[in-house]
Amino acid sequence: DAKTTQPNSMESNEEEPVHLPCNHSTISGTDYIHWYRQLPSQGPEYVIHGLTSNVNNRMASLAIAEDRKSSTLILHRATLRDAAVYYCILHPYNTDKLIFGTGTRLQVFP
Amino acid sequence: EPEVTQTPSHQVTQMGQEVILRCVPISNHLYFYWYRQILGQKVEFLVSFYNNEISEKSEIFDDQFSVERPDGSNFTLKIRSTKLEDSAMYFCASKLAGNPFYEQYFGPGTRLTVT
């Protein structure tokens, strides 16, 4: 399984943008980059995913490096509700399981 | 917005007993999953299920575990003879279609405590 590397923790102030990095240097050409988050005492929640191009949705933006060896999840204005563990996951085409790492624990301060 | 539901929210059982964890996936989804998370540890994949059969399973999913879709709405995980180390949060998930373009929707989890 291709591996991702994320910082253990990050901090932000409310209403500031947050950039959560992820390195995935062994990514293969057909791996999708998925981001999920897990709020305290809840199940994982889908955030966004992409293959090659940058993506935007109502929750976040995903910036993918041109060589695809890294990506950045961008929360444009962090809220207290965004405090969670964020997981960057590579999703190969030939499997359906999600392999969760330890993720980045995001703390948001008022 | 449609959601995955799980029952019970908390199950306490004695070692050696059988437990069945229940999930109702999103109604038009075709792919179903179970994951578990031991307290303080990573979320771990257990099994995926499609077209009434297991499509993939992890090393954790041994003969003590089984899954079933007994009717058109429920998806169950059975642990035949629980061990202390089975204590964890169990999450059910479902997905519309199989390729990685689609996201998995997770339920709120069932906390299983084995005493």
Side-chain angles (χ1 to χ4, degrees):
Chain A
D1 297 323
K3 188 174 164 49
T4 63
T5 304
Q6 299 178 252
N8 288 334
S9 63
M10 291 186 66
E11 297 178 352
S12 175
N13 294 318
E14 211 176 0
E15 299 197 5
E16 287 185 355
V18 181
H19 290 231
L20 298 164
C22 180
N23 286 319
H24 30 78
S25 58
T26 59
I27 191 171
S28 75
T30 55
D31 288 349
Y32 278 75
I33 302 160
H34 281 237
W35 284 81
Y36 283 76
R37 70 181 185 181
Q38 189 173 21
L39 279 64
S41 302
Q42 295 191 28
E45 175 188 32
Y46 167 79
V47 178
I48 200 166
H49 74 276
L51 184 61
T52 56
S53 304
N54 294 344
V55 185
N56 300 297
N57 67 18
R58 63 177 177 80
M59 287 181 72
S61 296
L62 177 60
I64 301 173
E66 200 169 324
D67 64 4
R68 300 211 325 127
K69 293 183 187 297
S70 66
S71 60
T72 303
L73 178 71
I74 302 164
L75 306 179
H76 295 285
R77 290 182 65 194
T79 68
L80 296 177
R81 196 195 171 274
D82 291 322
V85 179
Y86 287 78
Y87 301 99
C88 168
I89 300 171
L90 297 185
H91 195 329
Y93 212 89
N94 62 351
T95 180
D96 215 19
K97 62 187 178 190
L98 294 174
I99 304 296
F100 288 81
T102 51
T104 297
R105 181 172 299 278
L106 175 66
Q107 289 183 282
V108 181
F109 298 104
Chain B
E1 185 171 323
E3 58 182 19
V4 175
T5 58
Q6 292 186 243
T7 54
S9 56
H10 190 191
Q11 172 94 45
V12 181
T13 189
Q14 289 191 327
M15 199 166 50
Q17 295 296 303
E18 174 184 287
V19 294
I20 297 176
L21 309 183
R22 290 183 167 80
C23 168
V24 179
I26 293 172
S27 62
N28 62 338
H29 284 189
L30 300 176
Y31 289 76
F32 314 109
Y33 311 84
W34 284 101
Y35 292 80
R36 80 171 186 192
Q37 186 173 33
I38 296 170
L39 186 63
Q41 297 189 25
K42 300 178 194 178
V43 177
E44 301 174 288
F45 168 79
L46 293 178
V47 66
S48 59
F49 190 85
Y50 167 70
N51 200 25
N52 275 323
E53 59 183 37
I54 291 173
S55 46
E56 204 167 354
K57 62 182 180 179
S58 72
E59 293 169 356
I60 303 167
F61 194 88
D62 60 21
D63 292 344
Q64 292 297 317
F65 291 89
S66 62
V67 289
E68 194 177 35
R69 188 152 161 82
D71 52 41
S73 59
N74 290 285
F75 179 51
T76 62
L77 174 69
K78 182 193 292 187
I79 309 175
R80 286 192 186 80
S81 177
T82 50
K83 307 184 189 75
L84 293 176
E85 53 265 37
D86 293 328
S87 295
M89 282 291 287
Y90 287 81
F91 297 108
C92 172
S94 70
K95 190 162 88 163
L96 179 63
N99 72 50
F101 184 77
Y102 295 93
E103 65 269 28
Q104 293 186 22
Y105 290 80
F106 285 78
T110 292
R111 178 170 299 284
L112 177 65
T113 302
V114 182
T115 61

